[in-house]
Amino acid sequence: MIRPRTYRILLSIVAAVFSLSAHAAWNNPYPSADRDRNILYAAFRERPKHLDPARSYSSNEYEFIAQVYEPPFQYHYLKRPYALAPLTAVAVPKPVYLDRQGRRLPQDAPAQTISYSVYEIRIRPGVYYQPHPAFARDDKGDLRYQALTERELGGVYAISDFSKAGTRELVAADYVYQIKRLAHPKLHSPILSVMQDYIVGLKDYVATLKRAHAEVAQGREEGVYLDLTRYPLAGVEAVDRYTYRVKINGKYPQILYWMAMPFFAPMPPEADHFFSQPGMAQKNLTLDWYPVGTGPYMLTVNNPNRRMVLERNPNFRDERYPAEGEPEDAAEGLFADAGKRLPFIDKVMFSLEKENIPYWSKFLQGYYDRSGVLTESFDQAIRFSGSGDTEVSEAMQGKGIHLLTSVASSTYYLGFNMLDPVVGGLSERARKLRQAVSIAIDYEEQISIFRNGRGIAAQGPLPPGIFGYEEGCAGMNPYVYDCVDGTPRRKPIEAARRLLAESGYPDGQDAKTGKPLLLYFDTAATGPEEKAKLDWMTKQLRKLDVQLVVRATDYNTFQKKMRQGEAQLFEWGWNADYPDPENFLFLLYGPNKKVGADGENAANYDDPGFNRLFERVKNMDNGPERLALIRKMLDITRRDAPWAWGTHPKLFLLEHAWVYNTKPNTMANNTLKYLRLEPRLRAQQREAWNRPVVWPMLAVLGLVALAVVPAVIAWRRRERGAAR
Amino acid sequence: MPFQPVFLWTDVLIYVLLAAAAGFGVYAARHEHLRAPWRQIARRPLAMVALVALAAYVAAGLLDSVHFRERLANGGDQYSAEVLSLLDKLAAPLRSRVEKTYSAPFAAHAYTKETVEYPDGRRVRAYPRLVHGGAHLKDPDERGADIGKRAALATAAGGLVWLALVAAFVALRRVPGEAYAAAARRLARGADPIPWRAILVTAGVLIVLAANAGYLSLYYHILGTDQVGLDVFYKSLKSVRTGLVIGTLTTLVMLPFAVLFGVMAGYFRGWVDDVIQYVYTTLSSIPSVLLIAAAILSLQVYMANHPEVFDNVAARADVRLLFLCVILGVTSWTSLCRLLRGETLKLREADYVQAAQALGASHLAVMARHVLPNIMHIVLITVVLDFSGLVLAEAVLSYVGVGVDPTTESWGNMINGARLEMAREPMVWWSLTAAFGFMFVLVLAANLFSDAVRDAFDPRLRR
Amino acid sequence: MIAYIVRRILYAIPILLGVNLITFALFFFVNSPDDMARIHLGVKRVTPEAIAKWKEDRGFTRPLLYNAAAQGTAKLKDTIFYQHSLRLFVFEFGRAEDNRDIGREIAERMWPSLAIALPTFLVGVLVYITFALLLAFFRGTYLDTWGVVLCVAMMSVSVLFYVIGGQYLMSKLWHLVPISGYDDTGLLAFKFLTLPVVVGVVGSIGANARLYRSFFLEEIGKDYVRTARAKGLSEPRVLFQHVLKNAMIPILTGVVVVIPSLFIGSLIFESFFGIPGLGSYTIDAIHSQDFFVVRAMVFLGSVLYIVGLILTDISYTLVDPRVRLE
């Protein structure tokens, strides 16, 4: 395969040298023709692995597909606490509760009596898919690209190589099709194991599809299309063109939150069939790479080695900017565009940016419009005027950069493995040891050193914004904090030393044998960037005269240790799937243990009292009764201290003066459609900030020239001397 | 005993290396053909200056290679789990004086603003005073004067020590009957074949620098502090050992294989040669970073499965360091092996080897008595030349994530941590600068010295 | 000569087999397929069934080297080693974890790697020769002395400092070029490539210029140069016509071996400067433990290295007629 690319590069370099002087900002990484265009520039850190909504389960992938795929519901952009709002649905439905015999139960029926909940979802008519070859029809009205031959595929390397495209109206059956795909044997949907307990008939459906797939495939690996419309799924059906029903086992109000995730977005069977044709997968033409949706944007360039480009979907329906939100939103100017048609931005260009420093520098130079959701290490890289302060440094203020913060719905914690003979178990001795360690690890300090104050120390598993979280002393962990003047303050280190002595280790030595107490910290953090954190952790325990041994291994081994319950202390975190306390409390539910059950309870905490309460709280609707039970549960775990509660990180988002309508929303992912830009201001600022400084290079050249002159003279003299 | 000695793997190997070097020194001193090139090296001022600088690094590294555990304070026969080195003990003030977070070199205030709470409940955002750095000052504005005063004091003390050293040296070198003044003048003129003047001046500079650093670091963080408030000067000192270990032990562990296989391949030829060539061609055609990455990953798995073998932090970090040396050695022994094979092939045809064989000497005897001594100069040159490259490689490997243990202090780890600091506003530059300075001086000295060694030993250049 | 080359190529086969066996051993004894499955299926909610499925899809349920359950040749063929490793010899790399075809990916990523490595190589050789010639020309003057000292000093700086310093000065402080990124069209390509090429060349000036200087000095000391001078040729003519020509032999034969490896690119440069080439592909694969990609890259690296060795041998015969390949 010979490509003219190298010649092109050489030619263009020559051309470039001559035209270089004509450009104001030499370090502009984008074509100068795009100077005034309405393009948002963003970055992505690692190539997304899956863009198929049935498989994708990570925030960096949602950044793309949430703009393309539209599940029936979304989180309201401006309202807090987070509330569901219809997206393609007409409204968020109320469930119909049925008993075992299929009789309708009242809304306030106790959870035990409810056998099924039925959700009937009506979607809006007149919603159309993005233009896509899968919908293209020929003159006769037949689908054009659904029976591709090898010859037709010959010159095709990307979706854009298909000359024709078409569209189709969104129908309820597309949603049903996608729910069926969750059970597809080749897709390994990560939520299948959760969903098959709730969606009626899904478990059997998995077996059905497995058999059906084996029949259709006949041992072939690729080019197998399994027509899911031929296999009915008991609990999910399309009622009419615009209505479908989902039947759930028992009561499970959280299902609505799940249905706001891309897992429940519509999938047109044409697209699935289109990509399943033989020969497509070899060319990397798969649904996992090319999303097909009804959303405001469509993915037009998908080159994960360089850039991903979202462009406005010309068929996007009439959706308007919301007019209601929190009272303070008005002051922030968030209602300026209320009622205007979405989206505002024509094109979003994501460039691959793996390293922090280039990312940060380009942001400061104006080449990225926002700093993006900051990752851990990036977080360290920037410093604001001070810790705990929500303002940017003067230099940044001068550039008009502003800062938006929100506490993420996530919890990072230090877990104690409850199966460990030293720190684990529910005995009084171990409990006191854990409490002592919890006091000693000063998370307030950690937040101020490593996160520049961007976070709050956790009082329990629930982060702010989740039902059951309480501010101030009411929601304080009384085993680690004291209430001083109405604010929680960490207990002094003496209290921890006392607890340590009571647990049998006065001054960090075993009272019986006199051996020093060694604790092990297991981590997968082997990079040098993590070293400071490990140092800090060791420093914390030294306050108790306890030596912390860091057992750093690679990620795999760490995971394995966790599964086998061989870790002792470890750091772990959880991001909310949905804003409900159940999604956090289940991390401490006994039957959900990591060891044995392979669940998400990484500390392997198993307290019968807590477990009983959890089973009650799980399906309850929010209200005073639920709150009372949650308080009880929190007290049990705070006393047992299976986690040193750690932190709830604050997300900080920096953006330039030319970006409007940003409001951090940690639940919603489809927020790009609300943003607005002022490209002209951006173009001016970029040029003003990036005037090239040439004199140092000239000075270096001058110096070199100067150094040569005396040498030439010296050499001449020597030559003449030799000649003589 | 108030302490219990601990021998880490790398410690033992360092002692072995030291013993080998001493043995070689004694051996070389008795053989004229070996003494001559060394004499030639000793006459090059630049090489000797480099050697003095290297000696300073080696001293720091050796101090850091004597490990022990202290007995716990409250009696009993229990020893602390923490393994310390002599250097840790000497630099105890540096090690224990930890700030909260970043502070600039010689600073008395923290580098970041914090909310300071006054007794009356007022909260003000200000740069708090450091806990240790400049804590003796009542008024931080006097800092400049204080530093100047203390630096002058330290310089004077260092100068005195140096003068004493010079005086002792003059007394020793004096030809019987020569006046002291004349001997001193002879030294000052630089008339000796060995550049004593340059050596002593370098030593003087080092002594004065050390005096200043030692004295001032009792009152200030002379190179600042890092993110968790550790003294950067202390970290840089600790990194010296890592650099030296990687630079020297790597070649040490690979030497036996390279020499054995190289000589065997060249001497026996035939299928032995084929097999050995096959092995080293195969190994050398694998990109070395990949080989190192895979090997380090496998070590981590092993350590995770056998936690009882590595009962403390120091031992774990040490094993990883040693393993890194071994695997670096595996990736680099092939070139030496190839060189030795070629040289042995030539030597094999030499008259005296043929004669020995004809006289019925065993293969082993011929290889040991006639081949080995004649290829030692290649080994020496390789060892010295590889040193600086290996020190530099450590930093790069840390960047890729397969370097030394993250708890080991090393310049590579420092540089990688510092890369993020460069992006801070305002920039935190001192960690990077410190790592750069310490590393640059060591590598430069090593390069200069190895040049001299190569010139002296390489017969191709000896004309 | 052709017979020689054929023989060399045949000789490469057992070497590549050995390379394959080593990588295979390292990756399969270090990480069980279970571990790999976990990494690739993600952290949240991974079930044992999903892992079993993952392994089955990739054929990792087979035994590693020897299948006792199978019959006849299948005992060796129905193993992970046979199924996954030996196909490399026909350059069938298989699919990466993200299901992309590795062969295609390599073909795509080769160009960015080459786009930075080739200019660095060419400009580099030119600059080193110039610099070394300058030193040789001014030999004996202070320029030579300090030039060599400068070379040694430049050699003593870690490449990381060159990259960090280059990015800081050229992009952050002086706004001359973008700090990182890649594009292959027009002005943008030039903008993006300038910094890595400059840093790459400057970073290795020290070692190379010094080496080339010694080549030149060796030639200058030879008899024919003295004869040329005695003929009354001017010093520049001696240097350019005779010394340069003859010193090119060691220089060229020394660089030929790296030419094939230019395709693979540099791990450090590509990840620092965000170049989507094969170097960053490899680093990513190491970090994400993508066995298939790492193995493919190891294989490719070994092949190119061996090609480099063969090319070196051939180049010897071309520049020095006395050498005959047997």
Side-chain angles (χ1 to χ4, degrees), chain B residues 207-220:
Chain B
I207 289 171
V208 169
L209 271 181
N212 270 305
Y215 186 55
L216 284 170
S217 63
L218 293 177
Y219 298 92
Y220 297 95

Side-chain angles (χ1 to χ4, degrees), chain C residues 47-60:
Chain C
T47 58
E49 297 90 70
I51 290 172
K53 268 186 198 162
W54 186 91
K55 286 191 337 196
E56 202 188 306
D57 287 355
R58 283 163 183 75
F60 282 164

